[in-house]
Amino acid sequence: VEYYLLAVPWLKLSFVVPSPSSVLCAMALDGKIRIGFIVGKDNDAVEDPQYVGDASFLADMPAAYRTDPVSGEYGCPKAKGGMAHADTAIPWWIQKNHGDRCTIDIIRGDKDLTLARLKKNDVNFIIGYDQINTMFEGDWAARKELVGHALRECGNIWPTWEVQEFIYYKSRYMQACLDAGVPMAPTIFCFQGKRSPEQLLAEARRRGWRGFCLKLSFSAFSLGFLITSVEECTKDPTILKNYFAENADYPEFICQELITGFKDHWETRCFHWGYDFQYAICNKAAVVSESGAEIISAGRSDQPKQPREFVTAARAVAAQALKVLPKMFSKHGAEIGPVLNRIDIGCSTGAIHDKDYSWKEGQKTFFLNEMEYGGTNYFVRHLPFDCVPLWGEKYFQKAVEIMTKLPPGVRRGTKAAGVKKPATKAAATKRAATKKAATKRAATKKAATKRAA
């Protein structure tokens, strides 16, 4: 299979296509790139008094993409308080600023996300809704399968399905980070079908733990988060038994030794595009802050001062963690760099009791806490600058990159020769058999000719 370049002069773009007569995916007849954005946020408001940017570009956004400030449901007009959040505001900004080169499709994850809808677009980005959201929607098993099927099979979703699963299943990126030497709290993975309260408690005791916490893969907003101790669970076995029973449907639990100094320090959330740092949010989550409310420091004068030491150290750990992400490739074989990722870094100064760890008490140790991607909270209204144009431009340019970047060895011109899809094992076996048969026929013919002579 050879690849060609399809030029669209009025857009100043050339698209990689499998044949000179084909038009990539669902590209509209006008040559514009169709970009889908899967949305579903109700907690990252742009039309908020704290937002420092100019939100006037949202004036004509339909109620269909605005959420009710109380219920979080879509369909609330602006006149009644309906709010646009980061996941709808960013594509709306792109349509306003790059509408001559692209067509935007805003896809509500809870209502409109289907395989057919995704296939209508050239590129789709997850920006506010993914499989984790399905856990809040009635029949979780059915919704998880439906949404998973669409994201898995469409072939034009970013990040790719492989990267999504790498992050959905916390054990995958955590184990990869441990293997790569990224600092992380002592961890036990509890896999569905291979876990029990007794086994977990025995392992925690064997490793010397005292306090520990449990959290779930495929979860958000601290749901399924439990803090307990070996002593408490020994005295009252129902603590773990109830947790295991209540969360039996989850594929894995992550159990980590309790970092006693965690609540005393900032957790630093580092936002990256590709491998490039963009900004950091320092916060103390409601579940660990003394006030019971989340505390945020993003660099504004009306917030606590952002600690430079924490940001610097967190950036170093986050850069290490980003390296373990699976590579992504377009359907034409070109490597595509990561899209938005958020790496959360914690700080420990307390005692660690795990027999295999040597973190020093009283000394700051920065470690990976969690990894998230494009559907995460962008903290738009807390920033000292307007991040909507920042992300809007990056998402648009990424779509262009996906559609135009050439695979290795392809030269710009009318025909991009020399790039072929890797042969399958079956195809290689068939070619070998054909070659062998041809050689045998040639030998037979040669022998017959010799006898006739």
Side-chain angles (χ1 to χ4, degrees):
V1 177
E2 296 177 325
Y3 289 97
Y4 296 77
L5 292 178
L6 175 66
V8 186
W10 64 92
L11 293 180
K12 298 180 181 180
L13 294 175
S14 295
F15 300 93
V16 184
V17 297
S19 70
S21 61
S22 69
V23 178
L24 262 184
C25 303
M27 188 190 300
L29 293 177
D30 58 7
K32 294 182 180 181
I33 305 174
R34 285 187 56 88
I35 311 174
F37 287 88
I38 306 174
V39 305
K41 288 178 178 288
D42 64 358
N43 64 337
D44 207 1
V46 174
E47 293 174 310
D48 182 279
Q50 296 184 68
Y51 174 60
V52 300
D54 180 6
S56 61
F57 73 96
L58 295 168
D60 58 347
M61 175 179 277
Y65 305 133
R66 296 177 177 277
T67 64
D68 185 283
V70 178
S71 69
E73 297 295 325
Y74 281 104
C76 183
K78 184 176 182 180
K80 294 185 178 181
M83 303 179 76
H85 294 265
D87 56 343
T88 53
I90 289 170
W92 201 256
W93 183 93
I94 296 173
Q95 188 69 62
K96 293 281 187 177
N97 289 272
H98 295 293
D100 59 330
R101 301 175 70 189
C102 69
T103 299
I104 296 301
D105 180 22
I106 298 179
I107 306 168
R108 280 181 50 181
D110 65 333
K111 179 183 177 184
D112 305 321
L113 178 53
T114 64
L115 180 59
R117 180 72 172 265
L118 296 179
K119 281 185 171 291
K120 287 182 180 179
N121 298 320
D122 299 305
V123 179
N124 294 289
F125 291 110
I126 292 176
I127 193 172
Y129 181 101
D130 60 17
Q131 269 210 313
I132 292 177
N133 294 79
T134 63
M135 70 173 290
F136 306 109
E137 299 175 357
D139 188 347
W140 179 39
R143 284 291 298 163
K144 182 172 177 286
E145 177 56 33
L146 179 67
V147 171
H149 175 74
L151 298 177
R152 182 173 60 248
E153 302 298 331
C154 68
N156 59 359
I157 191 73
W158 301 90
T160 59
W161 177 253
E162 181 185 8
V163 173
Q164 291 173 53
E165 285 209 311
F166 188 75
I167 295 177
Y168 293 149
Y169 291 93
K170 298 180 189 295
S171 65
R172 298 187 185 182
Y173 73 76
M174 286 183 169
Q175 188 60 59
C177 283
L178 286 170
D179 293 342
V182 178
M184 201 170 74
T187 303
I188 299 170
F189 301 124
C190 305
F191 300 108
Q192 194 174 43
K194 299 179 180 179
R195 64 192 179 210
S196 73
E198 295 77 17
Q199 287 178 333
L200 173 58
L201 187 58
E203 179 63 11
R205 188 182 291 114
R206 185 190 70 80
R207 293 175 64 165
W209 295 6
R210 297 181 186 178
F212 61 89
C213 65
L214 280 158
K215 49 191 172 182
L216 307 169
S217 286
F218 287 91
S219 184
F221 308 117
S222 299
L223 294 178
F225 185 78
L226 172 70
I227 295 177
T228 184
S229 69
V230 170
E231 182 180 1
E232 288 175 343
C233 293
T234 300
K235 290 179 179 179
D236 183 4
T238 63
I239 294 175
L240 286 182
K241 286 182 178 179
N242 290 341
Y243 185 91
F244 274 62
E246 291 167 4
N247 299 291
D249 290 338
Y250 286 84
E252 60 182 29
F253 309 154
I254 307 300
C255 183
Q256 295 183 308
E257 182 176 358
L258 189 64
I259 307 299
T260 55
F262 185 80
K263 66 180 181 180
D264 300 322
H265 300 293
W266 296 100
E267 180 180 23
T268 307
R269 306 184 178 195
C270 298
F271 289 78
H272 293 79
W273 186 268
Y275 298 101
D276 297 327
F277 174 80
Q278 301 300 317
Y279 59 82
I281 298 288
C282 295
N283 80 300
K284 294 182 180 180
V287 293
V288 296
S289 72
E290 293 181 2
S291 65
E294 184 177 38
I295 303 172
I296 293 174
S297 173
R300 283 171 31 168
S301 59
D302 59 342
Q303 300 167 343
K305 186 176 180 181
Q306 194 169 62
R308 182 175 298 181
E309 176 191 7
F310 280 69
V311 174
T312 300
R315 288 181 61 176
V317 177
Q320 284 183 274
L322 279 172
K323 294 177 183 178
V324 309
L325 286 171
K327 299 290 185 181
M328 300 194 300
F329 297 88
S330 70
K331 63 178 61 179
H332 311 295
E335 183 175 345
I336 304 298
V339 287
L340 185 146
N341 284 285
R342 195 187 93 187
I343 315 296
D344 297 350
I345 307 300
C347 177
S348 170
T349 53
I352 295 294
H353 302 286
D354 190 285
K355 65 184 185 62
D356 297 322
Y357 274 62
S358 57
W359 294 2
K360 293 182 179 179
E361 185 175 3
Q363 178 178 306
K364 292 187 181 72
T365 299
F366 293 88
F367 62 93
L368 173 71
N369 188 35
E370 285 197 320
M371 184 179 291
E372 300 183 17
Y373 64 95
T376 189
N377 192 324
Y378 293 23
F379 292 87
V380 173
R381 64 187 182 275
H382 299 288
L383 291 167
F385 64 93
D386 184 3
C387 73
V388 172
L390 167 72
W391 296 125
E393 189 64 30
K394 289 188 179 299
Y395 274 111
F396 171 71
Q397 294 299 337
K398 180 60 72 172
V400 173
E401 176 191 353
I402 292 166
M403 295 294 287
T404 62
K405 187 176 181 179
L406 303 177
V410 175
R411 293 177 297 176
R412 292 199 175 276
T414 304
K415 183 177 179 180
V419 178
K420 298 182 178 181
K421 290 183 179 180
T424 63
K425 185 176 181 180
T429 302
K430 183 177 180 180
R431 283 199 301 272
T434 302
K435 184 177 180 181
K436 184 177 180 180
T439 303
K440 185 176 181 180
R441 286 196 300 271
T444 302
K445 184 176 180 181
K446 183 176 180 181
T449 303
K450 186 174 182 181
R451 284 197 299 273

